[in-house]
Amino acid sequence: PAEWRPLSEGCRAELAAIIVYARVLALHPDPYGAYNYLPWQRDIPGGPQQAAEGLFYSAEIELLCDQAWGSMLEVPAGSRLNLTGLGYFSCHSHTVMQGYAYFFFLRMDENYILLPHGVNFQEAIFPDTQENRRMFASLFQFSNCSQAQHVLSFSSDWEIQEDNRLMCSSVQKALFEEEDRVKKLQQKVATLEKRNKQLRDRVKKVKRSLRQARKNTRHMELMNRKLSEKLSPAGGQIPYINSLKQENSHATYLKV
């Protein structure tokens, strides 16, 4: 999107609707659909329906800990859930492997179906690595986790993190509001520039018409001057002809 900029995982965690730490138990390919295949699968004999696997699939996951603080999902550790919306998309991918654990940013749609929540159009699924455990440890500080999970071992500085943490959601909200305000101002500026361009075009047309009118006026004045010059000798002869007529008329009167 326009004016996009990346956000840190900690900041995005505050904006995610649901955060869980879970293991993938099984993968289930989605039913065949118009877009559920790779481009090269068009040429497979029998069409995409005969392809080994499609683009999209769902996963059965088991929660290894309670959901993170602030999550909208109220289920305990050990619960099993179905997660849809996995696979390869035009601009990103949400992929997992069976038997592995991940940290998930999730959301729930209007049909109460769980989907990956790509906050800020960034990654929504994080593999279970030491770095990611350390990054998300504070979110599960007081959550119940199953045995052999050591997420809390990285949370010694949790209170310091909590005290010094900047509320990214509030900052993000303010940034979004500011971006909306800037976008509206840019739209107004674009509209005013468009109107200004239209006015400039109209002024150019008026000036062009005015120049043409002045040119026509000068041409008419020149034509009138030339016509007057042609008529001036003829105008000097007219009194002489009239005087002759008057003399002839007077002589005729006397003769009579």
Side-chain angles (χ1 to χ4, degrees), residues 231-243:
L231 293 178
S232 58
Q237 295 176 359
I238 291 175
Y240 176 73
I241 296 172
N242 292 335
S243 62

Side-chain angles (χ1 to χ4, degrees), residues 18-29:
I18 302 169
I19 302 177
V20 298
Y21 175 52
R23 178 186 291 109
V24 178
L25 301 178
L27 301 178
H28 305 286

Side-chain angles (χ1 to χ4, degrees), residues 130-196:
Q130 297 294 320
E131 181 180 357
N132 287 336
R133 284 191 181 193
R134 183 178 293 104
M135 180 169 54
F136 294 113
S138 62
L139 298 175
F140 298 91
Q141 174 67 18
F142 297 111
S143 299
N144 295 323
C145 296
S146 59
Q147 295 181 356
Q149 301 300 326
H150 305 288
V151 178
L152 302 182
S153 61
F154 300 100
S155 59
S156 59
D157 59 345
W158 180 83
E159 293 183 356
I160 299 176
Q161 294 178 10
E162 190 67 17
D163 292 338
N164 298 334
R165 185 173 60 175
L166 179 64
M167 296 302 294
C168 295
S169 56
S170 301
V171 174
Q172 183 69 10
K173 181 180 179 181
L175 289 175
F176 285 160
E177 291 176 352
E178 182 65 18
E179 288 179 357
D180 290 340
R181 190 181 70 84
V182 171
K183 189 178 296 183
K184 291 179 180 179
L185 290 176
Q186 289 175 345
Q187 292 175 352
K188 290 182 179 179
V189 169
T191 302
L192 291 175
E193 288 180 349
K194 183 178 180 181
R195 292 180 180 176
N196 191 26

Side-chain angles (χ1 to χ4, degrees), residues 80-105:
R80 295 189 176 186
L81 305 170
N82 288 326
L83 176 62
T84 62
L86 300 174
Y88 300 93
F89 299 86
S90 59
C91 59
H92 60 272
S93 64
H94 297 315
T95 58
V96 296
M97 296 180 63
Q98 185 174 344
Y100 289 82
Y102 300 88
F103 292 92
F104 295 90
F105 287 2

